[in-house]
Every structure is written in structure tokens, then in C-alpha cells.
């Protein structure tokens, strides 16, 4: 056989160790190293997935298995976490009796947990379509952060036995979060199973970006701030290493599955959004991926995603030039949320670089144009977040809140709404901005804040049966609470004060509903109650039986001091509007991220 025939033979033979370019395109690969024949002929860069076994040969793997198994046998069998190392090992070769013994004891330990009082079934059922924990995830959490593939499509893919191992970590984190909503608890068995699934997954598998992003959110709102940051850092690094921000990524990693392609696009953009949420919640300017020139296409409408009828995706460039495009081009709610994050990031990063004495004019001329442009270009069906059936568009709800909180954060330091030292009582609060002279446009800044609060209250007062949104809502609505408390303390009197106080109660009640699921929110509600008592000089301290959001805080009989004369003129004209404003709580970093003279 000549060399040409040999080459053809190799190209026709598919290796089980195909290179990544051939595997992503579902092409036959001869597995030659360092470069297969197909990549050599086409001029592509040939690379292979890193071994999940860490590059060890067969003898070294056997020795490693026996060493870990022996250590596990000698550990305490009553401690679930001591079995995690054994559980994460791959299936052993024939004859490794010690490993089989350890693995059997681990599974027995997990069965004991599953059958004990208040047990949680850690292992997903074979038919995940009937799993109540997965149902809980999609009902409660997926609607807030819709990045993983829709439930029906996931169930269909999971029926393929060859895919189940790859989906194992995703199913584990979905069930873990679903249990938080269903059982209102942090399940140690499910957490152990989740982390074991994570450790078995390939570091190059893009599904781990989804898994770590979701796990980070759960950790953060359950008060595991350090672990949440670690998971977010790992998700961000892996997404950048895999270049998920590139248009080509989705097609290269989903073959002809259009729903999976859409999921990869959504993964990058949700990472982009949550990165901004963390920056706002923690009061930093650490927007790590906002400056990456992403070419990943924009997500489609939720109804198209759920049905599997994925339309031709739109680009970010098309969205950013929508004012010049034809009116019939439609962008999804997800796209408008991405646009809102762009506006917020631009406003904060731009104004933070401007000297305080120039900031007032600069905000009016530049930053406001970005925020107002987003709002003014909304099509009619996106201006209202609730449809005629009473269903709330969660992504547009978040987008509107983000625009309003950015407006308040920019203008309050330059307005007549002064910061009270009591605001530092909140674990989410930052140092208030330094005192600066009242700018010439102080009235403009004050009215901007008032109107943003009014708009937020309209969102919070939507006629829904239960206040149910992403936990990041907690910090986005904090700006209105601070500003309204300042108004109550400074100039609201009589009936106007009573109305404002009712709105504060309403907001505390909204956040109390979220606090029943997420402990960090429950703590923030309690902190805001204490802050309100001090700001309003109530002379009342809630007893130990008070619950967050309770309405037993009495109305103060004392009227607060009047505002400075330069503010009273505009406030007199706007008193009717102010009376309709509402309270928003949880004093988080959004309130002064971009404040002049207050950079972290």
C-alpha cells in the first residue's frame, strides 16, 4: 500500500480520541498527534481535549485509585463528605476490589441520608421530566435567569444514555437550587452530590460555565460570599478561555442543535449580566467582562426558546444601531436587558473618571443620554412589563429596575437628598459620598431621583399574587428606599408622610417574601428596619418577635426638618408626585457606585 493509500485509509478511520476541531464538526478523525491529517490538509490548528485522568498512565491510575480507596476505607463512614473523594473516581478496572468496596459504602451512606428524617433524594431519577426538584427550578429560578436549555428539550436529550454523564453536573445544580425553593433549606446531601459531579466533569466542558454561574448565585444569597466569588471567577475564566463571547462558539459546540446553540449564547450574556449585578450589589466598579468585544449573537424571545423554534439571531451591532433600523426589526427582552447593562456600565464607568466639580454637567449631557435613549427607544410591547393576562416579563422587569437604580445612583449625590449616617448600618451599604457643593443643576438632579423612585414603585406595586423575582432585585431597589427615607425625614408631613410610610411597608413586605428563600435578603430586611427607625427618629426598637416586613412600626409624631430653600421650590410643585412614590430597600452598593469623590 503506497503512502497516498495509507493516508486515505487513516482519514477514513475514526479514532475514539478525535481532535477538538473534528469533534466539534462531527467529522472523522484519525487521531494523529500532534496534528491529524484532516487539520493538516485544511490548515486548522489541531488540539486535543485534556485527559480527564490528569495524564496518568494505567499503572499510575491504578496506584492512585488504590491509595484514595484505602484512605477512604479508614475514614469515618458516618461523615458524608469523607466519601466524596471515592465518589468522584471513574469506574475502576476489573479486580479493584478495594475501590468497589469503598464505592459501595459511599452509595450506602447516601442511601441512608436519602431515607432518614427530612431526607432529600440526591440521585436524579431516570426520567427527569417527573422530578419535582427540576420542576421547582424551572418554575422559580429559570424564569429569572433563563440560560440553560428549556426543560422539555433537556428531558429529551437526557433520555440518551450517552449524554447523561455530560449533563450530570447541570442536573445536580438544577436540583440543588430547585430544592432551595421547594424545601426552603440548604441541602448538605445535594451539595455533596453536586460538588462530586463538578469534580468529575471535564474542565473544558462549556456546561461547567453554566453550572458554576448558577451555583455562585445560590452561594451568594445563602451568605457564602467567598465561595460564590470563587465559583464566579472560575465561570468567568473558563468562558473567556473557551471564547464563548465569539459568534463561532455556539455553532462549534452544538452541531445542528439550534436550542443548544441558543443556550450557549445565553450563557455568555447571562454571565455578562450577573457580573454587572455583582458589581452593583457589592459596590465596586469591577466589571470584568464589560469591555470584551463580544460578537456572540443576542438571545431570542422566551416563547421561541421554549418552543424550540429559534429564529435567525440578531447581532449586538444591530441592537446598538436600532434607532436607524426599520421599525419591523424585533429584539427580545433578553436583548433589552443586555442593553440596560451596557447603559448602566457606561454611566458608572464614565462619570467615575470625571472630577467632582465637572460631574453635574457631564452627567446631564452624557450619562443621562444613554439611560434615556434606552427608555425612549423601547417598542410599545416592552414599555409595559405585564401583559393583558397578568404575566410579568421578568427580564424586562430587571431591565427597567436597572435603568432606574442607575439613574438614582448617578443623581442622588448631586441632589438635595442627603445621605444619613444611619445608612451604614446595612451590610450592603458603602461609605456615603463626600460632601460637595450643591451644583447649579441641583433641582434637575433632585427631580431625576424623584421620577426614578416613582417608576420603581410602579414596578413593585404590580398586581401579582406573589412578589417573585431574582434575588438581585433586593439590591437594585435599595436606592428608592434610601431616597424616600430621606424625603420622609426632611419634608414629607401629614398625609404625604403616612402614604410614604405605607409604601415603605409594602416594599419591606415584598422583600420579606424573597427573604423566606434567601437568608441574605432576610438579614438585609432586618437591617433596613433598624435604619428606618433611626432616620425617622421613631423612638422605637422592634422587639425580638418582630419579623422583617411587619407593619407594626408606628408613624412618627414628629415632623422632620425642612429642606434647604433651594430645594423647596421644586419640591412644592412635585409634592403630589412624591406622595405617590414608594419605598425600596436593602442598602446595597448601587446607591453610590458612581458617586463623585467616592471611588472604591
Amino acid at each position: 500500500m503506497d503512502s497516498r493509500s495509507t493516508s486515505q485509509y487513516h482519514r477514513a478511520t475514526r479514532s475514539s480520541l478525535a481532535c477538538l476541531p473534528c469533534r466539534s464538526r462531527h467529522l472523522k478523525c484519525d487521531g494523529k498527534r500532534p496534528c491529524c491529517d484532516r487539520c493538516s490538509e485544511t490548515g486548522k490548528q489541531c488540539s486535543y481535549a485534556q485527559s480527564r485522568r490528569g495524564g496518568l498512565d494505567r499503572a499510575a491510575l491504578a496506584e492512585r485509585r488504590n491509595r484514595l480507596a484505602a484512605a477512604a476505607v479508614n475514614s469515618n463512614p458516618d461523615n458524608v463528605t469523607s466519601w466524596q473523594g471515592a465518589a468522584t473516581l471513574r469506574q475502576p478496572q476489573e479486580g479493584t476490589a478495594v475501590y468497589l468496596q469503598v464505592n459501595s459504602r459511599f452509595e450506602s451512606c447516601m442511601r441512608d441520608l436519602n431515607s432518614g428524617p427530612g431526607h432529600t433524594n440526591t440521585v436524579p431519577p431516570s426520567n427527569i421530566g417527573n422530578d419535582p426538584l427540576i420542576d421547582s427550578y424551572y418554575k422559580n429560578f429559570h424564569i429569572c435567569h433563563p440560560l440553560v436549555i428549556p426543560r422539555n428539550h433537556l428531558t429529551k436529550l437526557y433520555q440518551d444514555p450517552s449524554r447523561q454523564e455530560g449533563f450530570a453536573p447541570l442536573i445536580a445544580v438544577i436540583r440543588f437550587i430547585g430544592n432551595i425553593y421547594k424545601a426552603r433549606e440548604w441541602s448538605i446531601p445535594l451539595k455533596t452530590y453536586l460538588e462530586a459531579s463538578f469534580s468529575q466533569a471535564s474542565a473544558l466542558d462549556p456546561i461547567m460555565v453554566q453550572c458554576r454561574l448558577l451555583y455562585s448565585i445560590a452561594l451568594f444569597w445563602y451568605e457564602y460570599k467567598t465561595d460564590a466569588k470563587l465559583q464566579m471567577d472560575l465561570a468567568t475564566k473558563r468562558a473567556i478561555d473557551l471564547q464563548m463571547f465569539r459568534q463561532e462558539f455556539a455553532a462549534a459546540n452544538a452541531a445542528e442543535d439550534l436550542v443548544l446553540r441558543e443556550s450557549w449564547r445565553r450563557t455568555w450574556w447571562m454571565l455578562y449580566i450577573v457580573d454587572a449585578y455583582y458589581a452593583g450589589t457589592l459596590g465596586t466598579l469591577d466589571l470584568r467582562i464589560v469591555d470584551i468585544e463580544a460578537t456572540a449573537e443576542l438571545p431570542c424571545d422566551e416563547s421561541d426558546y421554549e418552543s424550540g423554534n429559534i429564529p435567525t439571531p440578531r447581532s449586538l451591532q444591530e441592537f446598538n444601531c436600532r434607532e436607524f433600523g426599520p421599525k419591523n426589526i424585533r429584539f427580545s427582552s433578553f436583548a433589552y436587558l443586555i442593553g440596560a447593562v451596557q447603559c448602566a456600565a457606561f454611566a458608572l464607568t464614565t462619570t467615575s473618571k470625571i472630577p467632582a466639580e465637572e460631574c453635574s454637567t457631564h452627567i446631564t449631557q452624557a450619562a443621562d443620554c444613554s439611560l434615556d435613549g434606552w427608555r425612549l427607544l423601547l417598542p410599545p410591547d416592552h414599555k409595559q412589563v405585564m401583559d393583558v393576562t397578568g404575566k410579568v416579563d421578568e427580564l424586562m422587569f430587571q431591565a427597567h429596575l436597572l435603568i432606574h437604580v442607575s439613574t438614582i445612583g448617578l443623581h442622588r449625590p448631586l441632589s438635595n437628598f442627603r445621605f444619613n449616617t444611619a445608612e451604614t448600618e446595612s451590610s450592603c451599604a458603602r461609605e456615603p459620598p463626600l460632601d460637595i457643593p450643591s451644583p447649579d443643576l441641583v433641582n434637575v438632579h433632585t427631580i431625576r431621583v424623584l421620577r426614578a423612585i416613582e417608576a420603581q414603585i410602579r414596578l413593585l406595586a404590580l398586581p401579582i399574587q406573589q412578589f417573585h423575582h431574582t434575588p438581585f432585585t433586593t439590591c437594585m431597589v435599595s436606592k428608592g428606599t434610601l431616597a424616600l427615607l430621606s424625603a420622609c425625614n426632611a419634608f414629607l408631613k401629614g398625609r404625604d408622610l403616612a402614604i410614604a410610610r405605607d409604601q415603605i411597608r409594602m416594599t419591606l413586605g415584598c422583600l420579606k417574601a424573597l427573604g423566606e428563600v434567601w437568608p441574605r435578603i432576610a438579614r438585609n430586611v432586618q437591617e433596613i428596619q433598624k435604619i428606618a427607625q433611626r432616620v425617622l427618629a421613631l423612638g422605637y426598637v422592634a422587639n425580638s418577635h418582630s419579623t422583617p416586613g411587619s407593619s407594626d412600626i408606628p408613624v412618627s409624631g414628629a415632623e422632620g426638618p425642612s429642606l434647604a430653600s433651594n430645594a423647596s421650590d421644586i419640591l412644592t410643585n412635585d409634592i403630589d408626585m412624591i406622595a405617590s412614590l414608594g419605598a425600596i430597600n436593602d442598602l446595597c452598593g448601587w446607591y453610590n457606585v458612581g458617586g463623585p469623590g467616592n471611588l472604591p
Side-chain angles (χ1 to χ4, degrees), residues 325-390:
K327 294 182 179 180
N328 60 349
I329 294 182
R330 176 181 174 82
F331 295 98
S332 66
S333 298
F334 208 135
Y336 280 102
L337 177 54
I338 294 168
V341 171
Q342 279 188 318
C343 294
F346 171 78
L348 295 178
T349 57
T350 300
T351 56
S352 66
K353 301 173 185 177
I354 305 301
E357 60 272 13
E358 302 176 14
C359 197
S360 178
T361 302
H362 183 82
I363 288 177
T364 303
Q365 293 179 347
D368 279 334
C369 292
S370 176
L371 298 170
D372 287 346
W374 181 92
R375 179 178 55 83
L376 293 171
L377 287 176
L378 285 176
D381 58 338
H382 283 93
K383 289 182 179 179
Q384 298 188 56
V385 300
M386 175 178 282
D387 63 19
V388 294
T389 67

Side-chain angles (χ1 to χ4, degrees), residues 467-483:
F467 189 82
H468 178 79
H469 302 284
T470 172
F472 288 106
T473 299
T474 307
C475 288
M476 284 195 283
V477 300
S478 65
K479 194 72 85 210
T481 296
L482 294 174

